[in-house]
């Protein structure tokens, strides 16, 4: 696909590697002045096992060396650059056609309330200077810390993109992202009511971790292993006693709270492994339902659009449908955005917002003191 440099709309690439650590998603997005963003093309670059192991180690390390950080950052950046190159080559586009790359980076730790009384922080491993060198494109990166500096949670950032993408339609519309963690976006039809979004709790992060502990693989395809087990109600009650689930929005979370050691502390040692997997899926379904119950919905009939990798988990989606019998489930693909590509698309849109000096956060979502222009620019 050839596009002249003066073509409208503008073209951006969004790069996303989520807490599942399964790879880098690259989305080519067209953004015009008066129309919703349009997904043009995509490329998924799987995470090489050595890099996956190193990043996972860094996410849970009490202490790390500068050399380890530099090694991970360099390898991750090269994986991003390879994903961009593969996408551009396949679409027959040169770097000159791309206004900017929006790079999320790889979250290593997210502590919006600080740690042991220390300052709030969020750390995304990234090297936008190197990425600009390797791709020849302008890069926008470090999106989260400006919202944090303004008193916000720095997450989730996707709800602002959900609003730009899906607008405000009739009825109670919810977007549910099922990545490593689950987050909700409520898009009320009344423009005088603020959008609300927040993390509801773990999704794939615990399901994948528990599966990998017992199988030679990274995830439970279609939730088949979970479906072979039974929900352990006593274990589920212990998991749901975590104070995070009772917090009111704004709220966000990450691997620093929900990880294998957290889960294993709740186990008696007598549980069947597949029953634990079924219980983790139920934990996600119930915590999402509890999150929806915290929203000021006018009625129980809602439209729910699930996206992210967890939207392909047949068992998990069935449990959500059981917990939400009045919900109408829709696919984001009906709007031209397959479930796996909304998060990457969000960072293409955030790069566009930054280059145009427009806010990228929603204070009603993150709790920031006001709208902020997010990210730093690294020119090509």
């Amino acid at each position: 696909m050839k596009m002249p440099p003066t073509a409208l709309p503008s073209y951006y690439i969004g790069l996303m590697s989520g807490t599942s650590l399964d790879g880098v998603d690259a989305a080519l997005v067209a953004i015009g002045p008066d129309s919703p963003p349009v997904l043009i093309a995509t490329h998924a670059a799987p995470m090489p096992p050595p890099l996956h192991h190193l990043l996972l180690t860094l996410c849970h390390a009490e202490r790390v060396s500068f050399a380890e950080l530099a090694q991970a950052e360099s390898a991750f950046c090269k994986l991003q650059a390879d994903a961009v190159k593969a996408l551009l080559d396949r679409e027959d586009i040169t770097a000159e056609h791309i206004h900017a790359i929006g790079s999320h980076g790889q979250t290593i730790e997210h502590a919006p309330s600080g740690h042991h009384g220390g300052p709030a922080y969020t750390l995304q491993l990234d090297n936008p200077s190197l990425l600009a060198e390797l791709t020849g494109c302008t890069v926008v990166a470090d999106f989260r810390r400006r919202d944090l500096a303004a008193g916000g949670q720095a997450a989730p950032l996707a709800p602002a993109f959900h609003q730009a993408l899906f607008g405000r339609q009739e009825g109670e519309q919810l977007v549910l992202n099922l990545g490593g963690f689950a987050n909700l976006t409520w898009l009320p039809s009344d423009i005088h009511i603020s959008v609300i979004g927040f993390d509801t709790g773990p999704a794939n992060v615990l399901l994948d971790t528990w599966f990998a502990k017992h199988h030679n693989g990274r995830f439970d395809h279609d939730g088949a292993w979970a479906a072979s087990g039974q929900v352990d109600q006593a274990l589920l009650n212990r998991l749901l006693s975590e104070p995070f689930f009772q917090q009111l929005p704004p709220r966000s979370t990450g691997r620093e709270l929900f990880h294998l050691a957290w889960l294993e502390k709740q186990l008696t040692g007598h549980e069947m492994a597949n029953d634990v997997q079924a219980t983790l899926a139920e934990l996600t379904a119930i915590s999402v339902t509890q999150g929806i119950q915290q929203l000021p919905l006018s009625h129980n009939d809602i439209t729910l659009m699930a996206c992210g990798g967890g939207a392909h988990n047949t068992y998990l989606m069935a449990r959500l449908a059981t917990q939400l019998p009045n919900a109408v489930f829709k696919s984001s693909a009906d709007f031209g955005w397959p479930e796996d590509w909304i998060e990457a698309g969000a960072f293409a849109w955030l790069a566009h917002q930054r280059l145009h000096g427009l806010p990228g956060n929603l204070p009603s979502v993150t709790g920031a003191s006001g709208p902020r222009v997010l990210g730093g620019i690294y020119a090509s």
Side-chain angles (χ1 to χ4, degrees), residues 28 90 107:
L28 177 63
R90 194 181 68 233
T107 297

Side-chain angles (χ1 to χ4, degrees), residues 169-210:
Q169 302 179 27
E170 293 297 323
E172 306 284 3
Q173 183 169 314
L174 292 171
V175 182
L176 171 62
N177 176 55
L178 293 167
F181 293 85
N183 54 69
L184 277 170
T185 302
W186 177 49
L187 299 171
S189 56
D190 187 343
I191 63 172
H192 299 100
I193 300 177
S194 297
V195 172
I196 298 176
F198 53 92
D199 288 351
T200 61
N204 298 329
V205 65
L206 291 180
L207 290 167
D208 292 352
T209 299
W210 187 250

Side-chain angles (χ1 to χ4, degrees), residues 6-359:
T6 57
L8 290 176
S10 302
Y11 294 88
Y12 296 82
I13 292 177
L15 297 176
M16 180 64 189
S17 175
T19 48
S20 294
L21 301 174
D22 51 2
V24 170
D25 291 337
L28 177 63
V29 179
I31 303 178
D34 301 310
S35 58
V38 176
L39 182 64
I40 303 297
T42 63
H43 178 75
M47 189 76 72
L51 180 56
H52 178 272
H53 176 75
L54 178 56
L55 290 172
L56 192 60
T57 299
L58 291 173
C59 285
H60 297 290
E62 288 294 328
R63 296 179 180 179
V64 298
S65 71
F66 292 125
E68 285 179 315
L69 287 172
Q71 178 187 351
E73 188 176 68
S74 178
F76 177 75
C77 185
K78 290 175 181 176
L79 181 64
Q80 288 182 300
D82 289 344
V84 170
K85 185 177 186 303
L87 181 59
L88 294 180
D89 287 349
R90 194 181 68 233
E91 297 303 312
D92 194 19
I93 303 171
T94 63
E96 290 76 17
H97 292 127
I98 304 302
H99 275 58
I101 293 170
S103 174
H104 171 265
Q106 179 63 62
T107 297
I108 298 300
E109 189 157 308
H110 180 68
S113 299
H115 189 64
H116 296 313
Y121 64 92
T122 184
L123 176 61
Q124 283 70 48
L125 198 70
D126 207 358
N127 189 340
S129 295
L130 179 58
L131 185 59
E133 286 290 330
L134 294 175
T135 62
C137 297
T138 293
V139 175
V140 184
D142 191 17
F143 291 99
R144 297 193 183 274
R145 288 194 291 182
R146 183 59 193 274
D147 183 88
L148 193 73
Q153 291 271 311
L157 294 182
F161 178 62
H162 297 157
Q163 181 182 18
L165 194 60
F166 303 120
R168 295 167 181 261
Q169 302 179 27
E170 293 297 323
E172 306 284 3
Q173 183 169 314
L174 292 171
V175 182
L176 171 62
N177 176 55
L178 293 167
F181 293 85
N183 54 69
L184 277 170
T185 302
W186 177 49
L187 299 171
S189 56
D190 187 343
I191 63 172
H192 299 100
I193 300 177
S194 297
V195 172
I196 298 176
F198 53 92
D199 288 351
T200 61
N204 298 329
V205 65
L206 291 180
L207 290 167
D208 292 352
T209 299
W210 187 250
F211 182 86
K213 179 179 172 67
H214 295 276
H215 297 271
N216 183 24
R218 290 187 185 175
F219 69 97
D220 183 10
H221 186 70
D222 284 337
W225 191 44
S228 72
Q230 299 291 326
V231 174
D232 183 326
Q233 190 61 49
L235 172 60
L236 179 62
N237 291 341
R238 293 195 295 274
L239 298 176
L240 285 169
S241 68
E242 169 60 47
F244 173 83
F245 296 115
Q246 281 71 53
Q247 291 179 22
L248 294 176
R251 71 183 194 201
S252 59
T253 190
R255 285 180 175 270
E256 50 287 334
L257 174 57
F258 294 107
H259 46 71
L260 182 61
W262 175 85
L263 169 62
E264 290 180 332
K265 285 181 180 178
Q266 313 298 328
L267 302 179
T268 64
H270 300 293
E271 297 88 355
M272 296 292 292
N274 59 340
D275 290 347
V276 174
Q277 188 77 351
T279 305
L280 291 175
E282 197 74 3
L283 174 68
T284 297
I286 288 181
S287 57
V288 167
T289 302
Q290 290 178 343
I292 292 173
Q293 291 169 347
Q294 290 181 313
L295 295 168
L297 303 178
S298 60
H299 51 76
N300 293 326
D301 297 325
I302 58 173
T303 298
L304 191 146
M305 189 182 306
C307 56
H312 303 296
N313 185 320
T314 305
Y315 178 76
L316 176 58
M317 294 305 297
R319 297 312 305 156
L320 278 166
T322 298
Q323 293 293 332
L324 299 166
N326 295 319
V328 175
F329 287 79
K330 283 190 176 182
S331 170
S332 58
D334 296 338
F335 295 83
W337 284 80
E339 293 90 345
D340 294 326
W341 295 102
I342 291 181
E343 287 285 290
F347 287 90
W349 179 82
L350 284 166
H352 169 270
Q353 294 294 99
R354 177 63 185 89
L355 291 190
H356 289 78
L358 299 172

